[in-house]
Amino acid sequence: MKPNLRLLLAVAVLFGISTGVYEYILPLYLDAQHISFQKIGVIFALAGLVMVIARIYMGGLADHWGRKPLYTWALILCGGATALTPFAPSLLPALAWQTLLKTFRELGALTRETIYPVILYEEGATGFLNRISKFRGVEYLLQAGGTLLVGVAINVLGTGLGIYRLLFLIAGGSILISMMCWAAFFHEPARLKTQRIISLRELFSFDLHPNLRIMLVSGIIFTFGMQLSHSFFLQLFFVKTFPNAFPAVKDLLTWTSWILVLHRVTIALPLLIVGNLPLKNLRGWYIAGLIIEGVTLSASAVIPVFIWSAAIFLLHDLIGSGIWSPIQATLIQRYSRDETRGMEVGKVLAWSSLGAIFGPLVAGELAGISTKLPFFVSGVMMVLSAIPLLWLNTRAPRPARVPAVTPVENLV
């Protein structure tokens, strides 16, 4: 394995541990601070709005400045915001502080998510599907490890502000350590750095391959659906829907942590093997994966027994996202132009993230009616997101090259 790929994998390992810790405890911490579902939805929605606007620009900057500096700053933002989460200043309202930190954290995390597959692809287009699958599979396994760490900490030490602070520091520290390794050892070939300046007109245009536009529309619908169940409500669903499943709250939280550990594992396992499968009809597998994921997620919301609801829920990635997500990543890279790859990948992922603005807001309102509704509607939207993909043409030619220089007088 090339040195850059080994370093990218090492960063993914530490980032995975941090994400597993952070995503589990943040909703629990906000709930313990007596922040309502609706206000938690606002925190996640505002972070999503900034994410959409900034993610496109970050992809363009990665084309202009290179991958290394943007990736480094992404890790700094993400690690710093994570570590500071439980240390709210007394002069700033808790809602404003958490909104600010969540915004910075997601800006860093999603800038990394934009550049990460670009670097993987540029290190070698051949075998990209296998590589992205395995790298993401390893990262999800380490996310499971981070979630398991939280479960063990809660089971042994209980809950409380001190425990949350320790876990947030571990999560933030892991990312900052990975940042120092990245800044010190990543080597960016000079050919990947360009002096080409991206105009604002070009930045916000939809001058994309038809397949990218189709995946963008599908992505908006899917992301809205996913955010209904996977933003802040994933952990709270089991805690709030089955409060009497166990005699003690600590037991319920421990079991929920195990579910979330298995949730990471069930997406990691197919990712580790999907690259070795002879998947010829990529569009068919893409569509089937989305439909299966949606159906199983909705089914888990209507099953009244904790253990069976959890079991059906765990199928949604095992036979859903674990299959279609690396296919999606492969097709986005395939139909992005070499000269503006960072910007085009950023555009598709950013506009797809529009659903992240409205999903948490709607989730908060639906949860106020019934704690089962966010999961049920989430699955329905995931099924609907497969419809635009019926027009996806995976036999279409790859995009032609774009002009190497944009005249200064045409810049806006």
Side-chain angles (χ1 to χ4, degrees):
M1 186 183 294
K2 297 179 181 178
N4 277 351
L5 291 179
R6 286 199 297 268
L7 183 59
L8 201 65
L9 183 59
V11 173
V13 166
L14 291 172
F15 198 91
I17 293 172
S18 172
T19 301
V21 173
Y22 176 82
E23 290 188 352
Y24 184 20
I25 60 173
L26 180 63
L28 297 178
Y29 172 73
L30 296 177
D31 185 55
Q33 296 292 100
H34 306 293
I35 299 177
S36 67
F37 291 154
Q38 289 81 2
K39 289 181 178 179
I40 295 176
V42 170
I43 293 172
F44 279 70
L46 289 176
L49 175 62
V50 174
M51 172 185 69
V52 171
I53 297 173
R55 201 172 190 183
I56 304 175
Y57 197 61
M58 291 302 176
L61 287 180
D63 287 330
H64 179 55
W65 289 348
R67 316 308 186 205
K68 181 175 181 176
L70 263 295
Y71 205 90
T72 302
W73 277 107
L75 294 175
I76 291 173
L77 277 178
C78 194
T82 299
L84 289 172
T85 297
F87 299 97
S90 57
L91 298 179
L92 194 66
L95 184 63
W97 176 249
Q98 294 303 331
T99 301
L100 183 66
L101 289 182
K102 178 65 175 173
T103 299
F104 281 126
R105 199 268 174 190
E106 292 309 307
L107 175 59
L110 291 167
T111 299
R112 170 190 174 266
E113 181 64 20
T114 300
I115 302 173
Y116 176 40
V118 171
I119 297 173
L120 272 181
Y121 191 84
E122 289 171 338
E123 288 290 331
T126 303
F128 173 77
L129 176 60
N130 185 45
R131 195 181 310 120
I132 188 72
S133 300
K134 285 185 168 56
F135 273 55
R136 285 185 169 169
V138 169
E139 184 169 337
Y140 277 112
L141 281 178
L142 271 297
Q143 287 181 18
T147 303
L148 180 61
L149 174 64
V150 177
V152 171
I154 290 175
N155 189 50
V156 175
L157 303 174
T159 58
L161 184 59
I163 302 302
Y164 288 135
R165 283 180 173 172
L166 174 62
L167 291 170
F168 277 118
L169 286 173
I170 291 173
S174 297
I175 296 178
L176 293 176
I177 290 172
S178 74
M179 177 275 298
M180 290 185 285
C181 296
W182 177 265
F185 299 112
F186 181 76
H187 173 68
E188 182 168 29
R191 63 181 176 82
L192 295 181
K193 300 176 183 178
T194 174
Q195 296 302 311
R196 185 173 184 271
I197 300 175
I198 305 298
S199 69
L200 291 180
R201 181 185 301 168
E202 185 179 6
L203 197 63
F204 289 98
S205 74
F206 287 91
D207 180 24
L208 299 168
H209 191 282
N211 279 343
L212 294 183
R213 291 199 291 267
I214 290 170
M215 285 188 283
L216 186 154
V217 173
S218 172
I220 292 173
I221 302 170
F222 175 83
T223 303
F224 172 72
M226 185 185 70
Q227 290 295 314
L228 289 175
S229 58
H230 282 58
S231 54
F232 68 89
F233 200 69
L234 180 57
Q235 296 84 331
L236 298 176
F237 169 76
F238 294 103
V239 174
K240 300 297 184 180
T241 306
F242 304 100
N244 300 319
F246 298 93
V249 174
K250 187 175 77 169
D251 293 333
L252 179 58
L253 289 174
T254 300
W255 271 93
T256 301
S257 71
W258 278 109
I259 293 171
L260 296 178
V261 168
L262 292 174
H263 176 224
R264 305 295 187 184
V265 172
T266 56
I267 189 173
L269 292 179
L271 284 172
L272 291 172
I273 64 172
V274 71
N276 297 321
L277 299 177
L279 301 179
K280 301 298 183 182
N281 185 0
L282 294 185
R283 185 186 70 166
W285 284 103
Y286 193 173
I287 292 172
L290 285 172
I291 292 174
I292 292 171
E293 182 167 4
V295 169
T296 51
L297 199 57
S298 290
S300 68
V302 299
I303 295 174
V305 181
F306 173 83
I307 192 67
W308 289 111
S309 174
I312 297 299
F313 164 78
L314 290 172
L315 293 177
H316 80 277
D317 280 333
L318 184 65
I319 52 180
S321 181
I323 295 174
W324 70 258
S325 60
I327 293 175
Q328 180 198 55
T330 300
L331 293 177
I332 289 175
Q333 297 297 329
R334 179 180 297 177
Y335 293 105
S336 295
R337 288 170 286 205
D338 292 338
E339 299 86 349
T340 53
R341 182 172 303 280
M343 181 184 67
E344 294 192 14
V345 172
K347 279 185 181 181
V348 176
L349 297 179
W351 292 119
S352 297
S353 300
L354 281 173
I357 301 172
F358 304 104
L361 292 174
V362 177
E365 296 300 325
L366 292 176
I369 300 171
S370 169
T371 56
K372 295 183 178 182
L373 275 178
F375 265 45
F376 181 80
V377 179
S378 174
V380 172
M381 297 307 299
M382 289 179 179
V383 173
L384 292 177
S385 72
I387 295 177
L389 298 179
L390 294 173
W391 286 269
L392 193 66
N393 181 11
T394 54
R395 295 184 179 180
R398 299 187 181 190
R401 294 178 62 87
V402 296
V405 178
T406 300
V408 174
E409 60 268 20
N410 290 339
L411 298 182
V412 177

